[in-house]
Amino acid sequence: MMSEPHLSVRGLHKWYGAVHALRDLDLDIPKGQVLGLIGDNGAGKSTFIKILSGVHQQTEGQIHFEGKPARIVTPRDAMNLGIETIYQYTAMVPEMSIARNLFIGREKRKWGVRGFGFLDQRAMAKEALEAIADVGLHLRSAEAPVKDLSGGQLQGVAIARAMHFRSRMLILDEPTNHLSVKETNKVLDYVRQLGAQGITVIFISHNLHHVHEVSDRIVAFAQGSKVADLETADTDVPTMIDLIT
Amino acid sequence: MSLRHILQSKPEASAFLMLMFLTLVFSLLSPAFMTYGNFQVVLQPIPEIALVAMGVTILMISGEFDLSVGSVFALAPMVMVLAMAAGIPLPISMLAGLIAAAVVGLVNAAITIRLGLPSFIATLGMLFMARSLTIVISGGFPPPFPRDLDLWWIVGKVDLLRVSIFWLLGVGLLLGIWLRKFDFGSWIFATGGNREAARDMGINTNLVKTTAFVLCSVLAGFAGMIQVFRIKAIVPSMGTGLELTAIAAAVIGGAALTGGIGSVVGAVIGALLIAFIENIIILTRIDANWFRFAVGAMIVIAVTINKITRDAAGRGKHKDGNDE
Ligand SMILES: Nc1ncnc2c1ncn2[C@@H]1O[C@H](COP(=O)(O)OP(=O)(O)O)[C@@H](O)[C@H]1O
Ligand SMILES: [Mg+2]
């Protein structure tokens, strides 16, 4: 018996002007699954997750999240649903402190309303340190600008940010690009922990070994279409290479 | 905190050190510099330049640029004076002038954001359009400035200062707190520091930029009004070239053209530095044409110091960048 999927998309299309980047995608993801999404450059992976995170909107098609139709028009809509995204690039402001970056757009206020709120800097600094400690990153202070952090520490902060806001679904788009082996292993650890905590994960990477290692299921895209959908146990890395080339 | 740490974390720190240093040098150069009477003269136009520089700084922090502030500096008070000449009371006339300035800011924002033009080009166009409008609505003649207005509350003399300096301090304090302690201020830094990240984290970066454009324009208009109140006359050419002085003050005060860095205090310090240089050139009877040279040199020096300290901060990163 299959329980209701956490995320369900039907007939999803995306056109960028004349480019048909996503073609009639149907996909169901059960709660707590770690889904590995693979595909060549330009296959439409980022396009799909940008639709889920509210950066772009689908040209056509429906999204259901937790059983309800979801209208995701802005990044805030996605965040309000509990969909957090860790982007291919580092979504941090280099000159701003770790604490400020962790709370960008969702600052804690002492008083006032969003857009005219007096910042609760002490609470943000404290919670930021706790949040990054929760993902196993121990920094002395949350006041240092993030430009002082290494690539792995940055991804740690990004994951801490997603976790802190109690995400229900976490999307990681090539989170290990530009990372050292040690830092990469750390990020893979995070992903495994998330799956163990019952958080639904979409994991995108060019490194098929990494995808095979952390995912429960593997979906392959080619030229905007879903071309394969397999249990990880039923496939191996050479087969995956064949799928995307 | 070490000096290096302060230089790295406070954008206005190097400008502040320059201000201290030059104040010392200038008082040695001319005994007249550090006198009561001289400061009275030097500080007179400071609120006007500094208010414009603050607006330009905040807009630069958000990642945009405004070349039209010198023209708005004339347009807003022109609207005000014409309204007064038509018998409209001062507060409403002022409001009309400020609304005109706000509209210019909105148009700058719309051209930049909706049409996607660089703000440098959008506001270069506005520099000419707003100046032209100012001259056209004045009818070619500078309208008479109404006498017997009570202007003590804005430009009255208090000892060696004018009341306008308290307006500068008040507005500067409010804007400084807003930038550093309010969520919207944080969004301005985030938008200029990394627009894509700010947007992906749910900040409406278009709203942030539009607010900064409007604020910059309104501050320029308000500053122009203060000048008109102080001089008690208006000419349509007032404020010509002021955009460059304001941008110079902002940059000397530590604002980065690339966005995400700057401070309100820095804008005031930058304006003071420029005024001090102009003053010492007059006091020491050096050929006045050296003024621009000195301002230019200071821009280059200030930006160089900031670059060196930031690069040093970048190098420090690899020393203690280990995990855990
Ligand atoms: N913002 C955009 N505007 C126009 N075309 C785009 C945009 N983003 C992606 N594309 C195009 O859409 C297709 C899919 O891209 P993308 O989703 O980034 O693929 P992937 O992440 O799988 O490499 C590519 O042909 C790409 O050039
Ligand atoms: Mg991609």
Side-chain angles (χ1 to χ4, degrees), chain B residues 14 26 97 100 108 110 119 143 189 204 209 224 244 322:
Chain B
S14 56
F26 289 176
N108 283 339
S119 50
F189 282 94
N204 184 341
K209 291 197 176 210
L244 294 183
N322 299 323

Side-chain angles (χ1 to χ4, degrees), chain A residues 93-96 98 139 143-151 153-154, chain B residues 4-5 8 310-322:
Chain A
V93 183
E95 297 288 338
M96 284 176 43
I98 297 167
L139 299 172
E143 293 309 317
V146 300
K147 66 177 179 192
D148 290 354
L149 300 180
S150 68
Q153 290 173 325
L154 276 176
Chain B
R4 198 180 119 207
H5 186 92
Q8 282 164 7
R310 274 170 209 148
D311 287 354
R315 274 197 302 279
K317 152 184 176 174
H318 300 296
K319 267 204 314 269
D320 45 24
N322 299 323

Side-chain angles (χ1 to χ4, degrees), chain B residues 165-188:
Chain B
I165 207 114
F166 296 103
W167 280 89
L168 170 67
L169 292 176
V171 171
L173 197 66
L174 287 179
L175 289 177
I177 293 173
W178 185 61
L179 270 186
R180 293 287 171 190
K181 303 288 178 191
F182 278 71
D183 53 359
F184 203 94
S186 220
W187 300 352
I188 296 177

Side-chain angles (χ1 to χ4, degrees), chain B:
Chain B
M1 278 203 286
S2 67
L3 177 66
R4 198 180 119 207
H5 186 92
I6 294 172
L7 276 173
Q8 282 164 7
S9 61
K10 296 243 181 282
E12 69 277 9
S14 56
F16 181 74
L17 291 181
M18 260 200 283
L19 183 72
M20 294 293 107
F21 176 70
L22 288 185
T23 306
L24 186 74
V25 172
F26 289 176
S27 22
L28 296 175
L29 277 179
S30 165
F33 182 72
M34 264 295 204
T35 59
Y36 204 72
N38 187 48
F39 265 73
Q40 195 164 2
V41 177
V42 181
L43 293 178
Q44 289 252 358
I46 283 294
E48 296 142 31
I49 303 169
L51 281 168
V52 181
M54 277 181 193
V56 169
T57 297
I58 293 174
L59 184 61
M60 270 170 67
I61 295 173
S62 86
E64 299 295 345
F65 207 68
D66 191 352
L67 287 173
S68 69
V69 285
S71 302
V72 174
F73 188 85
L75 177 63
M78 184 60 77
V79 169
M80 174 187 78
V81 169
L82 289 172
M84 282 194 290
I88 296 170
L90 175 67
I92 298 174
S93 303
M94 273 187 85
L95 190 65
L98 293 177
I99 289 174
V103 169
V104 171
L106 276 178
V107 173
N108 283 339
I111 297 174
T112 305
I113 295 165
R114 300 282 161 226
L115 301 185
L117 296 189
S119 50
F120 184 88
I121 301 297
T123 60
L124 179 64
M126 186 53 82
L127 177 155
F128 290 104
M129 292 191 281
R131 178 66 65 188
S132 170
L133 262 181
T134 309
I135 298 168
V136 169
I137 62 173
S138 75
F141 296 96
F145 188 81
R147 309 206 164 274
D148 55 74
L149 276 177
D150 176 18
L151 295 172
W152 193 88
W153 59 277
I154 185 141
V155 287
K157 286 208 167 94
V158 197
D159 205 15
L160 84 163
L161 301 170
R162 289 218 183 224
V163 175
S164 53
I165 207 114
F166 296 103
W167 280 89
L168 170 67
L169 292 176
V171 171
L173 197 66
L174 287 179
L175 289 177
I177 293 173
W178 185 61
L179 270 186
R180 293 287 171 190
K181 303 288 178 191
F182 278 71
D183 53 359
F184 203 94
S186 220
W187 300 352
I188 296 177
F189 282 94
T191 300
N194 185 349
R195 185 176 190 183
E196 194 183 8
R199 186 202 57 194
D200 291 349
M201 286 298 124
I203 293 172
N204 184 341
T205 55
N206 287 345
L207 175 71
V208 168
K209 291 197 176 210
T210 304
T211 306
F213 268 115
V214 171
L215 180 70
C216 177
S217 229
V218 167
L219 284 172
F222 181 57
M225 289 174 182
I226 293 180
Q227 182 164 104
V228 166
F229 289 147
R230 177 167 65 87
I231 299 174
K232 300 203 167 38
I234 184 163
V235 284
S237 64
M238 69 185 276
T240 304
L242 179 66
E243 58 284 338
L244 294 183
T245 310
I247 290 164
V251 169
I252 290 169
L257 281 171
T258 44
I261 303 174
S263 78
V264 168
V265 182
V268 178
I269 295 176
L272 278 174
L273 271 170
I274 292 173
F276 279 14
I277 290 182
E278 186 171 25
N279 180 249
I280 197 71
I281 284 173
I282 295 167
L283 287 181
T284 53
R285 301 204 171 78
I286 296 171
D287 183 345
N289 291 310
W290 282 104
F291 170 59
R292 280 163 198 277
F293 183 93
V295 172
M298 193 144 63
I299 295 175
V300 175
I301 293 170
V303 174
T304 306
I305 294 178
N306 286 334
K307 182 175 159 36
I308 290 171
T309 51
R310 274 170 209 148
D311 287 354
R315 274 197 302 279
K317 152 184 176 174
H318 300 296
K319 267 204 314 269
D320 45 24
N322 299 323
D323 275 27
E324 287 142 316

